[in-house]
Amino acid sequence: GGELAVLVHPGKYQAIARLIPRPNSPYVAVDASNGPAYFEPHVGRPAILAVEVSDETGRRVPAKVTVQGTFADQFIGQDPKDFLYDYRVGDPYRPSSLDVGSNQYIETTFRAGGDGRAEAQLRPGHYNVVVSRGPLYTIETQPVDLAAGELTRLGAQVTRVIPEDGRISADLHVHAQGSVDSDVLLQDRAQSYAAEGIQFMAMTEHNFVEELQPTIDSLGLTDFVKATPGLELSSLEAGHWNAYPLNYD
């Protein structure tokens, strides 16, 4: 493992190794002017972040974990593609603030499931870890320093601030992998809605009846979110109509 051979035109090159989410290797000068050349780049070691989320009752709950970083002030106002990530070597997009005077960006996001636990590998560095569960709950932010090769554990609490009073939070027009305008996998759709505190959804794929509840159940999210099959009947001439609930055969 870890070996690769490629054919290139004779010449001198700069090479870099990338293995997300590890830090990229430094650029390596490669001289293939007079025949085969061998080089051995070294990607950095990732840090590991583990988060456990509970609500005000102590119950562990699904949540979204956003890891927010800051870049040097000298780059404020510049195009992030010039210093924060490089599409030419396959770096992932890292969203930055719409405020041109800000130096904040998002390193990554991941989700806690039904057991309230989440873990991810990421580049070492200083970050703010933001734990949220949609607009019905408080947001908790904790600073953290993540070191290469080390596991850092955090505990976070989100508190419901808008009472239920007999109401539920719902989204009645939801697409996933069954629609031509969505590539979201069923698993990701279920996890994302549970993490945002949505309690009920109607799956309304374009001209396709989809059942999400088995996926929800298999992920251990049954206590947090429910789904019903539906349909967005779409035509080229006369518009779109949503219908739910529908039977799923």
Side-chain angles (χ1 to χ4, degrees):
E3 295 183 356
L4 176 68
V6 296
L7 295 176
V8 297
H9 292 290
K12 296 181 179 181
Y13 298 89
Q14 292 285 320
I16 187 172
R18 178 179 58 84
L19 181 61
I20 297 173
R22 295 169 179 258
N24 294 346
S25 75
Y27 278 94
V28 178
V30 181
D31 188 350
S33 302
N34 301 308
Y38 175 81
F39 65 98
E40 189 173 332
H42 297 276
V43 295
R45 299 172 67 191
I48 305 172
L49 174 64
V51 182
E52 184 172 299
V53 186
S54 59
D55 65 12
E56 68 275 17
T57 71
R59 182 191 190 192
R60 290 200 294 268
V61 294
K64 180 171 72 174
V65 180
T66 303
V67 182
Q68 183 185 82
T70 56
F71 51 79
D73 289 347
Q74 70 190 74
F75 296 116
I76 291 177
Q78 298 185 31
D79 188 336
K81 295 192 296 296
D82 294 336
F83 64 91
L84 190 57
Y85 51 89
D86 190 343
Y87 286 147
R88 296 172 300 174
V89 298
D91 282 344
Y93 170 64
R94 295 185 176 97
S96 53
S97 175
L98 295 177
D99 179 359
V100 296
S102 171
N103 64 345
Q104 296 181 343
Y105 71 95
I106 294 176
E107 176 69 13
T108 191
T109 60
F110 55 103
R111 303 183 188 97
D115 61 357
R117 295 189 174 106
E119 184 174 303
Q121 295 184 353
L122 60 161
R123 299 186 302 173
H126 176 79
Y127 300 101
N128 283 323
V129 178
V130 183
V131 179
S132 60
R133 185 163 155 71
L136 304 180
Y137 291 80
T138 57
I139 297 173
E140 180 165 324
T141 301
Q142 298 185 34
V144 65
D145 289 296
L146 302 180
E150 294 186 8
L151 169 64
T152 300
R153 297 185 183 274
L154 293 180
Q157 177 178 299
V158 291
T159 300
R160 182 160 184 138
V161 291
I162 298 179
E164 290 189 76
D165 290 338
R167 299 183 293 261
I168 64 170
S169 55
D171 189 339
L172 305 178
H173 184 174
V174 180
H175 294 320
Q177 65 191 44
S179 291
V180 296
D181 55 357
S182 173
D183 59 0
V184 179
L185 299 177
L186 294 181
Q187 176 176 321
D188 291 336
R189 181 58 77 209
Q191 291 175 329
S192 65
Y193 272 61
E196 296 295 343
I198 301 297
Q199 297 165 289
F200 181 80
M201 68 177 94
M203 287 300 298
T204 54
E205 305 280 31
H206 289 286
N207 302 326
F208 182 79
V209 179
E210 184 66 85
E211 171 64 279
L212 186 62
Q213 193 62 48
T215 302
I216 293 172
D217 297 340
S218 69
L219 294 171
L221 298 171
T222 311
D223 291 342
F224 300 98
V225 61
K226 300 289 193 299
T228 186
L231 176 75
E232 181 178 353
L233 183 63
S234 304
S235 70
L236 296 177
E237 303 87 7
H240 304 257
W241 298 269
N242 275 6
Y244 58 86
L246 297 177
N247 292 327
Y248 182 81
D249 297 327

